[in-house]
Amino acid sequence: EVQVAESGGGLVKPGGSLRLSCAVSGIIFSDYTMNWVRQAPGKGLEWVSSIGSSGSDTYYADSVKGRFTISRDNAKNSLYLQMSSLRAEDTAVYSCARLKMVVGAPTNAFDLWGQGTMVTVSS
Amino acid sequence: QSALTQPPSASGSPGQSVTISCTGTSSDIGGYDYVSWYQQYPGKAPKLMIFEVYKRPSGVPDRFSGSKSGNTASLTVSGLQAEDEADYYCGSYAGSNNVVFGGGTKLTVL
């Protein structure tokens, strides 16, 4: 059975830091590009960051570039998001999501999602 | 404000068809055949319904179909069923390893 479970969310003050984790099981984790996607309360989805299967390629949305760092540990089947200099507008549910591949090619769609972990930035 | 524009709501009666639009620009929807659609129930994770404009993942009913014309993509749900009532989000590749999403459409089955 495939399972995706995020953790590490919570309440943090503006300017603070937080590290999110995502544990994945039931797939060959090291085969896939993984992503973080967030959803502010009552709002739409926002892609945050992605990391290639080996961990050497990372990409960020302009809104988080320079403040967030994505990483992974393929030996532990885990994805991470280190968040710093947090702002009120970073308040959201953060989910990890797998990039769907078809015959080895990326589809730029996300086919496996976790339930997410809530991050609240407030004084 | 989301990069892609969706109507906030849509509705239809059981058995009818409903189409949800998603408007972007030539830098995202119009520039790539990488449009995706997601279904989300309250408090649940999104589910991929359509990828690469019109392709359905295994297990998605063929009542769901996708299309694109210029900078606008569409999701059509035919033969509406009660369980189709959910939020639907569109997504598109926007270049430079960036994906953008719409603000979501709440589909109500009357």
Side-chain angles (χ1 to χ4, degrees):
Chain A
E1 183 189 3
V2 178
Q3 291 189 330
V4 180
E6 300 90 343
S7 61
L11 175 64
V12 61
K13 290 182 169 51
S17 298
L18 210 56
R19 188 193 195 214
L20 306 183
S21 299
C22 173
V24 182
S25 61
I27 66 169
I28 303 174
F29 181 74
S30 58
D31 279 354
Y32 295 95
T33 291
M34 295 298 295
N35 299 262
W36 287 98
V37 179
R38 67 185 181 184
Q39 187 169 25
K43 301 294 185 183
L45 302 170
E46 182 186 11
W47 172 79
V48 172
S49 181
S50 70
I51 185 167
S53 57
S54 67
S56 57
D57 300 315
T58 59
Y59 305 94
Y60 300 91
D62 287 344
S63 58
V64 306
K65 201 171 293 182
R67 301 187 299 121
F68 289 11
T69 301
I70 191 172
S71 61
R72 66 191 296 163
D73 185 336
N74 286 342
K76 294 183 177 179
N77 289 349
S78 293
L79 177 72
Y80 306 100
L81 187 67
Q82 177 68 48
M83 306 184 295
S84 60
S85 302
L86 282 162
R87 307 166 180 166
E89 54 264 38
D90 295 319
T91 294
V93 173
Y94 285 74
S95 299
C96 59
R98 182 179 73 176
L99 183 70
K100 181 176 176 63
M101 304 292 284
V102 174
V103 199
T107 64
N108 294 295
F110 307 111
D111 66 342
L112 179 64
W113 297 69
Q115 293 274 55
T117 186
M118 182 71 202
V119 172
T120 303
V121 184
S122 175
S123 54
Chain B
Q1 188 161 343
S2 300
L4 306 179
T5 300
Q6 297 181 237
S9 63
S11 63
S13 300
Q16 288 186 332
S17 292
V18 64
T19 296
I20 298 171
S21 63
C22 173
T23 302
T25 69
S26 58
S27 296
D28 38 66
I29 292 177
Y32 308 94
D33 286 334
Y34 287 124
V35 176
S36 52
W37 288 91
Y38 304 86
Q39 177 190 64
Q40 186 179 36
Y41 295 112
K44 300 296 186 181
K47 175 186 177 183
L48 178 65
M49 305 300 283
I50 297 287
F51 68 99
E52 291 180 343
V53 180
Y54 63 90
K55 299 176 182 179
R56 282 187 306 275
S58 174
V60 172
D62 59 7
R63 302 185 295 103
F64 292 84
S65 61
S67 63
K68 186 186 90 165
S69 178
N71 297 337
T72 299
S74 298
L75 173 72
T76 298
V77 185
S78 306
L80 267 177
Q81 299 181 5
E83 61 261 35
D84 298 333
E85 185 162 297
D87 293 326
Y88 292 84
Y89 294 90
C90 59
S92 174
Y93 183 65
S96 302
N97 293 282
N98 186 16
V99 173
V100 292
F101 291 99
T105 297
K106 181 176 180 58
L107 175 61
T108 300
V109 180
L110 301 171

